[in-house]
Amino acid sequence: MKIERLIEQAREELITDIVLSDEFMNRMQENFLPIERLMSYYRCAIMEVETKFRVLNEQFSLQYDRNPIETIKTRVKSFDGILKKVKRKQIPFSLESIEENINDIAGVRVVCSFPEDIYLLAECLLQQDDIRLIEKKDYIKNPKPSGYRSLHLIVEVPIFLENEKRPMKVEVQLRTIAMDFWASLEHKLRYKKEIPEAEAVQMAEELTECANVIADWDKKMGEIRNRIERYSEEKDE
Ligand code: GTP
Ligand code: MG
């Protein structure tokens, strides 16, 4: 994308109160190419992490005849998403600062059928010797007040360039199909500004109830799965 278009987009979509001063514009021009390179490194890091999960899924399907992963979704944070975060966190607009302070530029979301598999996969990933755990937030054991559940990991993974090995940060979100379904609906509500306040509050409360019901069902379904598996193991013996 052309730098002019990016600036125009920043003007349109970004908080209109941001001052696009000459200094800001100059820095954007200076930083543009290096930013593109950095984004490409994040895309490489996503490939590395996604492959690790695909390999684990393959191995589990051979060894235990089960696929713990339903889907993997990946994304690199958009340019205006990064700008918004720079502004919200009040961090300097430089490459070093963006890389240092924003942990979710590369995102990998792993959707599983059962909560148990989330922990199994996280453990398998974290024990790999090229993965460094930076931060872990367990919103399954400690859900957010909204009811949001997922296991979040910020990990560092090396990417191998022509003459360099470069560690990159990736945010991994692991959740069940049901948690994912809930989060996308709740996200819609969160960003619909036209809904009258009282009604939005009401819907948010109902969603929190749904999140609890979903967590119970996830657990029950997992228990049933385990009972079925025990039965098939006995038959195999
Ligand atoms: P951000 O600065 O927004 O990235 O938050 P954070 O650094 O405190 O990270 P946190 O681990 O709390 O959340 C990061 C991501 O998790 C968000 O960008 C969402 O994708 C997701 N998330 C967290 N809380 C909620 C929630 O209440 N509802 C939904 N739908 N998603 C959430
Ligand atoms: Mg985020």
Side-chain angles (χ1 to χ4, degrees):
M1 208 189 292
K2 284 251 168 59
I3 185 81
E4 290 77 15
R5 174 71 196 111
L6 283 173
I7 294 169
E8 198 186 307
Q9 194 177 327
R11 264 197 225 280
E12 279 167 11
E13 291 182 26
L14 203 67
I15 22 301
T16 40
D17 60 346
I18 195 167
V19 187
L20 295 180
S21 61
D22 287 347
E23 193 208 329
F24 180 85
M25 305 275 266
N26 289 340
R27 297 196 76 169
M28 287 260 282
Q29 303 271 12
E30 277 166 23
N31 282 319
F32 185 60
L33 262 181
I35 278 192
E36 274 299 279
R37 189 179 316 133
L38 184 64
M39 290 303 121
S40 138
Y41 293 166
Y42 279 115
R43 284 194 292 275
C44 296
I46 285 177
M47 288 188 242
E48 295 286 353
V49 172
E50 184 176 0
T51 301
K52 284 175 180 292
F53 281 114
R54 293 206 182 282
V55 168
L56 287 170
N57 202 39
E58 179 78 27
Q59 194 219 329
F60 277 101
S61 84
L62 263 181
Q63 200 163 338
Y64 304 109
D65 195 23
R66 94 189 203 206
N67 288 310
I69 300 176
E70 200 61 37
T71 44
I72 302 180
K73 305 172 197 174
T74 65
R75 70 105 179 86
V76 177
K77 205 176 191 66
S78 67
F79 182 73
D80 49 293
I82 294 175
L83 278 184
K84 277 183 186 147
K85 210 155 195 178
V86 165
K87 195 181 178 226
R88 181 156 63 82
K89 290 187 141 199
Q90 302 198 314
I91 55 169
F93 183 66
S94 73
L95 278 192
E96 297 71 35
S97 143
I98 287 174
E99 204 178 348
E100 169 80 28
N101 297 298
I102 305 185
N103 291 338
D104 64 344
I105 296 180
V108 175
R109 184 172 288 158
V110 181
V111 181
C112 303
S113 296
F114 302 101
E116 210 182 300
D117 293 339
I118 290 175
Y119 291 101
L120 190 68
L121 286 167
E123 203 179 302
C124 289
L125 177 78
L126 293 176
Q127 75 191 18
Q128 299 185 4
D129 62 10
D130 54 351
I131 288 281
R132 190 165 82 86
L133 177 66
I134 300 204
E135 192 183 4
K136 180 174 181 175
K137 291 189 203 163
D138 191 341
Y139 297 126
I140 298 175
K141 295 218 164 74
N142 307 297
K144 289 211 169 180
S146 60
Y148 177 78
R149 285 168 172 81
S150 282
L151 178 64
H152 290 191
L153 309 172
I154 307 290
V155 296
E156 208 170 59
V157 63
I159 56 165
F160 294 86
L161 303 166
E162 193 179 357
N163 299 310
E164 188 193 357
K165 174 178 165 187
R166 204 175 189 292
M168 299 298 300
K169 279 191 261 183
V170 177
E171 181 183 76
V172 181
Q173 299 181 344
L174 297 117
R175 47 170 81 151
T176 61
I177 299 173
M179 292 171 195
D180 191 47
F181 177 40
W182 181 94
S184 54
L185 186 58
E186 200 263 355
H187 186 266
K188 274 198 190 115
L189 173 63
R190 206 170 269 263
Y191 290 94
K192 273 274 180 296
K193 298 292 172 218
E194 310 85 76
I195 304 173
E197 165 90 17
E199 202 179 341
V201 169
Q202 172 69 31
M203 284 195 268
E205 277 170 15
E206 286 176 31
L207 275 168
T208 309
E209 273 171 44
C210 288
N212 294 332
V213 173
I214 278 173
D216 281 347
W217 280 100
D218 265 347
K219 194 162 160 256
K220 275 198 191 116
M221 302 271 281
E223 283 162 9
I224 294 172
R225 192 265 309 254
N226 288 344
R227 277 160 61 194
I228 294 172
E229 283 196 350
R230 270 199 300 275
Y231 179 74
S232 11
E233 275 162 24
E234 274 168 27
K235 275 193 80 180
D236 289 346
E237 275 166 13

